[in-house]
Amino acid sequence: MLTGKTALVTGSTSGIGLGIARALATHGANIILNGFGDVEAAKREFVDLDCELGYHPADMGAPSQIADMIAYAESTLGPVDILVNNAGIQHVSPVEDFPVEKWDAILAINLTSAFHTTRLTLAGMKSRGWGRIINVASTHGLVASANKSAYVASKHGLVGFTKSVALEAATTGVTVNAICPGWVLTPLVQKQVDARAAADGVSDAEAKRRLLAEKQPSLQFTTTAQLGELAVFLCTPAADNIRGAAFNVDGGWAAQ
Ligand code: NAD
């Protein structure tokens, strides 16, 4: 279904980005990976698939490196047809103590990077008559939690950005949507599980149970494979008229 398409997934050396990249590749897309994780391990996830792979180490906090990554994608696998803005970081702290450099980094990586990748690829998608922009926001793009001010601001911003660009592209073949996961057990969340286990003096399993019980009514983590299949669905003709939507995949978190 996606054969011949080029998909760029930012932050795809682990977690959700890797899951989405693998799902898109399973349906035929060629993939540009990006991120700071173990690149060779990430590439091994694709060995059983018939897809072309590229990798660019751009720091999503650095606009000039983002421009280099888009140029690299175009020169190796061709123009970007599917853009998945997924790279993201977290820092947990009361706002009075929030380190200024952490605030700046979270806004740059979680939000501003999507502006740069979008501004550099949207015109090409429009001119070719087809494109998909999928922004990985969060339940924290829809509701808040204490001590996550920068993350919540960045993800609410990303949902707003999604809607605005979706409207700008509304009469074209390019759709722009957001995916809003609740808890997904990735390295980003494992750090929060570890902090919880240390703070409460409990086991890893108990820390996970407490984390889920607090927010996620299903008491189950969303999986990266589930998010990958949603991204694939957004690339099908059935999703041609889904524009500016934000999909909760959160076990009921935002329904409360
Ligand atoms: P993760 O830590 O496994 O993956 C993050 C990826 O981003 C990694 O590949 C990392 O190397 C990359 N990255 C980090 N900083 C970068 C930078 N400056 N430049 C380029 N790449 C960078 O985390 P994840 O949980 O898979 O998170 C992926 C996205 O999903 C993030 O935007 C996160 O906010 C969002 N999200 C995660 C959850 C969850 O529960 N895990 C829930 C909602 C939203």
Side-chain angles (χ1 to χ4, degrees), residues 11 13-14 16 36 59-60 86 137 151 155 181-182 184 186-189:
T13 51
S14 67
I16 294 169
F36 297 158
D59 178 346
M60 288 301 108
N86 167 78
Y151 188 84
K155 295 298 188 179
V184 186
T186 64
L188 181 140
V189 162

Side-chain angles (χ1 to χ4, degrees), residues 9 32 37 45:
V9 185
I32 302 285
E45 296 286 322

Side-chain angles (χ1 to χ4, degrees), residues 216-256:
Q216 196 143 305
S218 67
L219 302 179
Q220 290 173 28
F221 287 104
T222 296
T223 67
T224 60
Q226 289 165 344
L227 298 171
E229 287 307 312
L230 176 54
V232 168
F233 168 71
L234 288 172
C235 295
T236 65
D240 277 355
N241 209 28
I242 299 178
R243 293 170 185 269
F247 288 87
N248 307 348
V249 195
D250 63 1
W253 179 337
Q256 296 167 100

Side-chain angles (χ1 to χ4, degrees), residues 207-220:
K208 285 175 181 151
R209 197 197 63 74
R210 290 185 186 186
L211 207 71
L212 287 169
E214 216 170 62
K215 300 280 187 185
Q216 196 143 305
S218 67
L219 302 179
Q220 290 173 28

Side-chain angles (χ1 to χ4, degrees), residues 51-208:
C51 77
E52 289 182 48
L53 271 187
Y55 166 77
H56 194 281
D59 178 346
M60 288 301 108
S64 64
Q65 294 183 33
I66 294 173
D68 286 348
M69 178 179 69
I70 303 295
Y72 162 82
E74 288 171 353
S75 67
T76 52
L77 298 186
V80 176
D81 303 299
I82 302 166
L83 168 65
V84 182
N85 289 307
N86 167 78
I89 58 169
Q90 173 66 286
H91 183 78
V92 181
S93 162
V95 70
E96 309 92 298
D97 305 326
F98 214 94
V100 171
E101 66 283 3
K102 288 275 185 206
W103 173 279
D104 289 343
I106 289 172
L107 269 289
I109 294 163
N110 295 13
L111 175 58
T112 306
S113 71
F115 159 66
H116 290 297
T117 54
T118 300
R119 77 181 171 80
L120 294 166
T121 56
L122 182 59
M125 290 180 192
K126 282 181 177 171
S127 71
R128 292 187 302 279
W130 193 90
R132 292 291 187 260
I133 299 178
I134 300 171
N135 294 323
V136 179
S138 166
T139 310
H140 283 122
L142 305 169
V143 298
S145 295
N147 299 326
K148 295 185 174 176
S149 57
Y151 188 84
V152 169
S154 71
K155 295 298 188 179
H156 274 67
L158 189 57
V159 171
F161 179 72
T162 301
K163 292 178 187 175
S164 194
V165 181
L167 294 179
E168 292 179 30
T171 60
T172 75
V174 184
T175 71
V176 188
N177 292 290
I179 295 179
C180 296
W183 292 123
V184 186
L185 193 56
T186 64
L188 181 140
V189 162
Q190 186 61 47
K191 275 191 212 158
Q192 295 176 62
V193 171
D194 294 345
R196 182 76 180 242
D200 295 4
V202 295
S203 67
D204 180 76
E206 178 58 15
K208 285 175 181 151

